[in-house]
Amino acid sequence: MDLGIRGRTAIVCGGSKGLGRGSAEKLAEAGVDIVLNARSAEALEKTAGEIAERFGVKVTTVAADVTTPEGRAKLLEAAPAPDILVNNAGGPPPGVWSEWGEDEWQNAIRANMLTPIHLITAVLPGMIERKWGRIVNITSGSVKAPIPALGLSGAARSGLTGFVAGTSRQVARHGVTINNLLPGQHETARIESLMNNTAKQKGITVDQAREDAYAANPAGRFGTTEEFGAACAFLCSAYAGYIVGQNILLDGGSINATL
Protein backbone atom coordinates (compact mmCIF):
# COMPACT_ATOMS: atom_id res chain seq x y z
CA MET A 1 0.00 0.00 0.00
CA ASP A 2 1.34 3.41 -0.98
CA LEU A 3 0.99 5.58 2.14
CA GLY A 4 1.12 8.80 0.13
CA ILE A 5 4.09 10.26 2.00
CA ARG A 6 6.98 9.54 -0.37
CA GLY A 7 9.46 12.41 -0.40
CA ARG A 8 8.44 13.81 2.97
CA THR A 9 10.84 14.20 5.89
CA ALA A 10 10.47 12.67 9.35
CA ILE A 11 12.27 13.20 12.64
CA VAL A 12 12.44 9.94 14.56
CA CYS A 13 13.71 10.18 18.12
CA GLY A 14 15.26 7.19 19.85
CA GLY A 15 15.58 5.67 16.40
CA SER A 16 18.71 3.55 16.63
CA LYS A 17 16.96 0.49 18.06
CA GLY A 18 13.71 -1.01 19.25
CA LEU A 19 10.37 0.61 18.51
CA GLY A 20 11.98 3.80 17.25
CA ARG A 21 13.99 1.88 14.70
CA GLY A 22 10.95 -0.12 13.67
CA SER A 23 9.09 3.14 13.05
CA ALA A 24 11.99 4.66 11.11
CA GLU A 25 12.27 1.58 8.90
CA LYS A 26 8.59 1.54 7.97
CA LEU A 27 8.60 5.27 7.23
CA ALA A 28 11.69 4.76 5.07
CA GLU A 29 9.95 1.89 3.29
CA ALA A 30 7.17 4.36 2.47
CA GLY A 31 9.75 6.65 0.83
CA VAL A 32 10.23 9.12 3.67
CA ASP A 33 13.63 10.71 4.28
CA ILE A 34 14.65 10.21 7.90
CA VAL A 35 16.37 12.46 10.42
CA LEU A 36 17.40 9.85 12.94
CA ASN A 37 18.17 10.76 16.53
CA ALA A 38 19.68 8.85 19.44
CA ARG A 39 22.30 9.49 22.10
CA SER A 40 24.85 6.89 21.00
CA ALA A 41 26.62 7.97 17.81
CA GLU A 42 28.00 4.52 17.05
CA ALA A 43 24.67 2.68 17.15
CA LEU A 44 22.99 5.57 15.37
CA GLU A 45 25.39 5.56 12.43
CA LYS A 46 25.11 1.80 12.05
CA THR A 47 21.32 1.90 11.98
CA ALA A 48 21.27 4.87 9.61
CA GLY A 49 23.56 3.12 7.15
CA GLU A 50 21.43 -0.01 7.17
CA ILE A 51 18.19 1.90 6.63
CA ALA A 52 19.63 4.03 3.82
CA GLU A 53 21.05 1.01 2.03
CA ARG A 54 17.91 -1.07 2.38
CA PHE A 55 15.31 1.55 1.41
CA GLY A 56 17.24 4.05 -0.69
CA VAL A 57 16.17 7.13 1.23
CA LYS A 58 18.24 9.92 2.72
CA VAL A 59 19.05 9.31 6.39
CA THR A 60 20.57 12.15 8.42
CA THR A 61 21.89 11.38 11.89
CA VAL A 62 21.80 13.62 14.93
CA ALA A 63 23.55 12.18 17.97
CA ALA A 64 22.15 14.28 20.80
CA ASP A 65 20.31 14.13 24.09
CA VAL A 66 17.00 15.75 23.21
CA THR A 67 16.01 16.01 26.86
CA THR A 68 18.32 19.05 26.90
CA PRO A 69 17.69 22.38 25.14
CA GLU A 70 21.02 22.00 23.35
CA GLY A 71 20.10 18.55 22.05
CA ARG A 72 16.74 19.72 20.77
CA ALA A 73 18.33 22.73 19.08
CA LYS A 74 20.81 20.45 17.32
CA LEU A 75 18.02 18.17 16.11
CA LEU A 76 15.83 21.01 14.86
CA GLU A 77 18.78 22.62 13.12
CA ALA A 78 19.17 19.42 11.10
CA ALA A 79 15.44 19.28 10.36
CA PRO A 80 13.94 22.78 10.59
CA ALA A 81 10.81 21.91 8.61
CA PRO A 82 9.85 18.27 9.22
CA ASP A 83 6.59 16.89 7.89
CA ILE A 84 6.54 14.12 10.50
CA LEU A 85 7.70 13.92 14.11
CA VAL A 86 7.95 10.66 16.03
CA ASN A 87 8.65 11.25 19.70
CA ASN A 88 10.20 8.32 21.52
CA ALA A 89 12.15 8.07 24.76
CA GLY A 90 12.86 5.25 27.16
CA GLY A 91 11.07 5.36 30.45
CA PRO A 92 12.57 5.71 33.92
CA PRO A 93 13.44 2.54 35.83
CA PRO A 94 10.76 0.69 37.78
CA GLY A 95 10.46 1.21 41.49
CA VAL A 96 8.20 2.01 44.44
CA TRP A 97 6.54 5.34 45.21
CA SER A 98 8.48 5.66 48.46
CA GLU A 99 11.78 5.61 46.56
CA TRP A 100 10.97 8.53 44.25
CA GLY A 101 12.20 11.94 45.29
CA GLU A 102 12.57 15.30 43.58
CA ASP A 103 15.34 14.23 41.21
CA GLU A 104 13.53 11.09 40.05
CA TRP A 105 10.33 13.02 39.36
CA GLN A 106 12.08 15.86 37.57
CA ASN A 107 14.01 13.44 35.34
CA ALA A 108 10.88 11.49 34.43
CA ILE A 109 8.84 14.59 33.67
CA ARG A 110 11.64 16.14 31.62
CA ALA A 111 12.21 13.02 29.49
CA ASN A 112 8.70 11.66 29.05
CA MET A 113 6.51 14.76 29.21
CA LEU A 114 8.34 18.04 28.63
CA THR A 115 10.77 16.93 25.92
CA PRO A 116 8.07 15.68 23.52
CA ILE A 117 5.96 18.74 24.30
CA HIS A 118 8.87 21.06 23.49
CA LEU A 119 9.49 19.27 20.19
CA ILE A 120 5.80 19.31 19.30
CA THR A 121 5.48 23.04 19.95
CA ALA A 122 8.65 23.69 17.96
CA VAL A 123 7.44 21.95 14.80
CA LEU A 124 3.72 22.81 14.93
CA PRO A 125 3.91 26.37 13.52
CA GLY A 126 5.63 25.17 10.34
CA MET A 127 3.25 22.25 9.92
CA ILE A 128 0.26 24.57 10.35
CA GLU A 129 1.68 27.02 7.81
CA ARG A 130 2.22 24.20 5.29
CA LYS A 131 -1.24 22.77 6.03
CA TRP A 132 0.09 19.25 6.66
CA GLY A 133 1.81 17.42 9.48
CA ARG A 134 1.87 14.18 11.43
CA ILE A 135 3.04 13.77 15.02
CA VAL A 136 3.14 10.40 16.77
CA ASN A 137 4.20 9.96 20.37
CA ILE A 138 5.35 6.53 21.50
CA THR A 139 4.14 6.40 25.10
CA SER A 140 3.08 3.33 27.10
CA GLY A 141 0.13 1.13 27.90
CA SER A 142 0.58 2.36 31.48
CA VAL A 143 -1.35 5.54 30.63
CA LYS A 144 -4.37 3.34 29.91
CA ALA A 145 -3.98 0.85 32.76
CA PRO A 146 -1.54 1.71 35.56
CA ILE A 147 1.49 -0.46 36.22
CA PRO A 148 2.45 0.22 39.87
CA ALA A 149 6.19 -0.27 39.40
CA LEU A 150 6.16 2.16 36.45
CA GLY A 151 4.55 5.04 38.33
CA LEU A 152 7.16 7.57 37.23
CA SER A 153 6.68 6.70 33.59
CA GLY A 154 2.90 6.46 33.79
CA ALA A 155 2.54 9.82 35.52
CA ALA A 156 4.87 11.70 33.17
CA ARG A 157 3.41 10.14 30.04
CA SER A 158 -0.11 10.82 31.28
CA GLY A 159 0.81 14.50 31.38
CA LEU A 160 1.85 14.29 27.73
CA THR A 161 -1.40 12.47 26.95
CA GLY A 162 -3.39 15.33 28.45
CA PHE A 163 -1.46 17.88 26.41
CA VAL A 164 -2.04 15.93 23.20
CA ALA A 165 -5.75 15.55 23.90
CA GLY A 166 -6.32 19.29 23.85
CA THR A 167 -3.69 20.42 21.37
CA SER A 168 -4.52 17.83 18.71
CA ARG A 169 -8.06 19.16 18.49
CA GLN A 170 -6.82 22.72 18.02
CA VAL A 171 -4.54 21.94 15.08
CA ALA A 172 -6.52 19.26 13.21
CA ARG A 173 -8.30 21.86 11.06
CA HIS A 174 -4.89 22.81 9.64
CA GLY A 175 -4.20 19.31 8.31
CA VAL A 176 -2.01 18.39 11.28
CA THR A 177 -2.69 15.31 13.39
CA ILE A 178 -1.23 14.28 16.75
CA ASN A 179 -1.75 10.79 18.13
CA ASN A 180 -0.19 8.44 20.66
CA LEU A 181 0.87 4.82 20.24
CA LEU A 182 0.77 2.80 23.45
CA PRO A 183 3.05 -0.25 23.21
CA GLY A 184 2.74 -3.34 25.32
CA GLN A 185 5.48 -5.96 25.31
CA HIS A 186 7.50 -6.13 22.11
CA GLU A 187 10.57 -8.04 20.98
CA THR A 188 13.19 -5.46 21.91
CA ALA A 189 16.36 -5.33 23.99
CA ARG A 190 14.27 -3.91 26.83
CA ILE A 191 12.00 -6.95 26.93
CA GLU A 192 15.05 -9.21 27.05
CA SER A 193 16.24 -7.29 30.09
CA LEU A 194 12.82 -7.53 31.72
CA MET A 195 12.65 -11.28 31.09
CA ASN A 196 16.11 -11.73 32.62
CA ASN A 197 15.07 -9.75 35.70
CA THR A 198 11.82 -11.70 36.03
CA ALA A 199 13.70 -14.98 35.80
CA LYS A 200 16.11 -13.96 38.55
CA GLN A 201 13.35 -12.71 40.83
CA LYS A 202 11.28 -15.87 40.45
CA GLY A 203 14.17 -18.32 40.34
CA ILE A 204 13.16 -19.68 36.95
CA THR A 205 14.80 -19.86 33.54
CA VAL A 206 14.54 -17.02 31.04
CA ASP A 207 12.70 -19.37 28.70
CA GLN A 208 10.14 -20.11 31.39
CA ALA A 209 9.71 -16.41 32.13
CA ARG A 210 9.07 -15.81 28.45
CA GLU A 211 6.60 -18.71 28.21
CA ASP A 212 4.71 -17.35 31.23
CA ALA A 213 4.55 -13.89 29.64
CA TYR A 214 3.30 -15.38 26.38
CA ALA A 215 0.60 -17.32 28.23
CA ALA A 216 -0.60 -14.16 29.97
CA ASN A 217 -1.13 -12.36 26.63
CA PRO A 218 -4.25 -13.11 24.55
CA ALA A 219 -2.11 -13.12 21.39
CA GLY A 220 0.20 -15.70 22.97
CA ARG A 221 3.34 -13.77 22.02
CA PHE A 222 5.11 -10.41 22.10
CA GLY A 223 4.72 -7.84 19.36
CA THR A 224 7.36 -7.22 16.72
CA THR A 225 9.08 -3.95 15.97
CA GLU A 226 8.00 -4.34 12.35
CA GLU A 227 4.28 -4.41 13.10
CA PHE A 228 4.66 -1.57 15.57
CA GLY A 229 6.51 0.46 12.96
CA ALA A 230 3.79 -0.25 10.41
CA ALA A 231 1.17 1.16 12.77
CA CYS A 232 3.29 4.26 13.27
CA ALA A 233 3.79 4.70 9.53
CA PHE A 234 0.05 4.45 8.90
CA LEU A 235 -0.67 7.16 11.47
CA CYS A 236 1.83 9.30 9.54
CA SER A 237 0.23 8.50 6.20
CA ALA A 238 -1.93 10.55 3.87
CA TYR A 239 -4.89 8.39 4.94
CA ALA A 240 -4.76 9.17 8.67
CA GLY A 241 -5.92 12.77 8.55
CA TYR A 242 -9.18 11.93 10.35
CA ILE A 243 -7.47 10.18 13.28
CA VAL A 244 -7.04 12.91 15.87
CA GLY A 245 -5.93 12.81 19.50
CA GLN A 246 -6.18 9.03 19.85
CA ASN A 247 -4.36 6.63 22.16
CA ILE A 248 -3.91 3.39 20.27
CA LEU A 249 -2.87 0.26 22.15
CA LEU A 250 -0.54 -2.24 20.55
CA ASP A 251 -0.41 -4.88 23.26
CA GLY A 252 -1.94 -8.07 21.89
CA GLY A 253 -5.04 -7.45 24.00
CA SER A 254 -3.22 -7.70 27.32
CA ILE A 255 -5.06 -4.70 28.78
CA ASN A 256 -8.52 -6.03 29.45
CA ALA A 257 -10.78 -3.09 28.64
CA THR A 258 -13.88 -2.43 26.55
CA LEU A 259 -12.72 1.03 25.46
Side-chain angles (χ1 to χ4, degrees):
M1 178 179 180
D2 184 348
L3 296 182
I5 50 177
R6 184 172 300 278
R8 294 196 180 273
T9 299
I11 291 175
V12 181
C13 298
S16 64
K17 59 184 179 180
L19 302 180
R21 175 168 181 162
S23 300
E25 288 180 342
K26 283 300 180 180
L27 286 168
E29 184 179 351
V32 176
D33 292 328
I34 307 296
V35 179
L36 201 64
N37 161 255
R39 297 185 188 189
S40 171
E42 183 177 355
L44 186 63
E45 294 298 334
K46 183 176 184 295
T47 296
E50 292 170 352
I51 291 175
E53 181 179 2
R54 181 179 176 188
F55 299 108
V57 298
K58 180 182 178 183
V59 182
T60 304
T61 58
V62 181
D65 179 359
V66 293
T67 67
T68 68
E70 296 79 12
R72 290 191 294 275
K74 185 177 180 181
L75 179 59
L76 293 169
E77 182 179 1
D83 302 295
I84 295 165
L85 169 65
V86 178
N87 277 313
N88 176 41
V96 180
W97 61 269
S98 56
E99 301 171 347
W100 301 328
E102 181 72 16
D103 288 345
E104 288 78 13
W105 278 111
Q106 291 292 348
N107 289 338
I109 291 169
R110 182 174 62 252
N112 298 130
M113 176 183 168
L114 292 179
T115 290
I117 288 175
H118 286 319
L119 288 172
I120 290 168
T121 54
V123 303
L124 271 179
M127 290 180 174
I128 290 170
E129 183 179 353
R130 295 187 298 275
K131 300 296 183 183
W132 200 94
R134 299 286 186 266
I135 298 173
V136 175
N137 304 297
I138 300 175
T139 65
S140 169
S142 64
V143 304
K144 177 83 171 179
I147 302 171
L150 299 181
L152 286 173
S153 173
R157 296 187 197 276
S158 292
L160 172 62
T161 304
F163 172 80
V164 168
T167 305
S168 62
R169 288 162 172 83
Q170 297 176 65
V171 302
R173 67 182 62 251
H174 301 290
V176 180
T177 68
I178 314 176
N179 292 287
N180 303 317
L181 281 178
L182 284 55
Q185 295 175 314
H186 284 74
E187 296 287 1
T188 63
R190 180 170 172 78
I191 202 66
E192 290 295 335
S193 175
L194 289 173
M195 290 299 100
N196 286 331
N197 288 337
T198 298
K200 290 178 182 178
Q201 291 172 2
K202 294 186 175 181
I204 58 178
T205 66
V206 174
D207 287 343
Q208 184 60 57
R210 182 176 279 270
E211 287 178 13
D212 291 348
Y214 285 172
N217 190 298
R221 63 179 178 89
F222 295 151
T224 69
T225 57
E226 182 179 24
E227 59 194 349
F228 184 92
C232 180
F234 180 77
L235 284 180
C236 297
S237 76
Y239 306 107
Y242 210 54
I243 303 175
V244 174
Q246 298 304 301
N247 294 282
I248 301 173
L249 278 168
L250 286 87
D251 69 343
S254 62
I255 291 179
N256 194 20
T258 303
L259 296 174

